[in-house]
Amino acid sequence: MRNTPRFMDALCLALGLLAGSASAQDQAGFVTGSLGDTPLELTVSPDFSDATIVGTYVDTSLLATQVDGAEGPITLILTFNGDLSDLAEVTVEITFAREMGRNWLGDKSGLSLKLDKFDAADGVIAVAGTVTGEVTGGPDQETLPVTVSFNARMKETD
């Protein structure tokens, strides 16, 4: 049951609402861009974003939300992992909470990630970059172009 679309919709909505309630001082950065013709301006949640580094291997997960706006609550999850010089996996998931089932998902086969910054110091990871490509989803399982630029700080986990 944990991997069903309804469960994932509910989980993303709950995480988005929790992350969206963070005060300005708790913001860990921003994500801007677009999904098709829909502009995206989301706030990165420090409580639900982190990275693990082992040598040059990284495993990173960034969660960002937009609570207000015409589209209602939106949650974006960006994950990437692999050797920093050649990241093996990149995924983007975008969920519109107002319309259950309006989820979009893309992976390395349709996405390109360009890292502009990845710095680790004192248990904090500073990361910035851009993801471009295509994601598939929505009620009609259509494909849309996506561009997201991110600049975030997150905690390093063991």
Side-chain angles (χ1 to χ4, degrees):
M1 177 171 183
R2 286 191 160 253
N3 291 326
T4 64
R6 273 214 170 122
F7 176 81
M8 294 306 294
D9 289 344
L11 177 64
C12 288
L13 174 60
L15 290 175
L17 293 175
L18 284 171
S21 66
S23 67
Q25 68 189 23
D26 293 333
Q27 294 175 354
F30 296 94
V31 175
T32 59
S34 62
L35 170 65
D37 294 332
T38 304
L40 301 172
E41 293 185 17
L42 304 110
T43 303
V44 176
S45 168
D47 295 328
F48 297 104
S49 301
D50 59 32
T52 301
I53 302 173
V54 178
T56 59
Y57 181 88
V58 299
D59 188 357
T60 305
S61 178
L62 182 146
L63 182 134
T65 60
Q66 173 183 308
V67 176
D68 299 322
E71 298 293 333
I74 301 170
T75 302
L76 179 142
I77 301 171
L78 166 65
T79 61
F80 57 91
N81 62 55
D83 193 87
L84 273 172
S85 64
D86 182 30
L87 294 168
E89 296 293 328
V90 177
T91 61
V92 170
E93 182 176 353
I94 302 171
T95 302
F96 291 78
R98 187 173 286 165
E99 297 178 40
M100 293 301 191
R102 191 171 168 206
N103 301 335
W104 301 87
L105 183 62
D107 60 24
K108 189 169 181 174
S109 66
L111 297 173
S112 173
L113 169 66
K114 178 182 177 272
L115 281 180
D116 298 322
K117 172 173 63 171
F118 193 96
D119 296 320
D122 300 324
V124 176
I125 309 292
V127 61
T130 303
V131 175
T132 56
E134 295 181 331
V135 291
T136 303
D140 299 324
Q141 289 299 301
E142 59 187 310
T143 300
L144 290 178
V146 66
T147 300
V148 291
S149 295
F150 55 94
N151 191 339
R153 295 172 321 282
M154 60 189 68
K155 62 184 175 265
E156 182 177 357
T157 59
D158 296 328

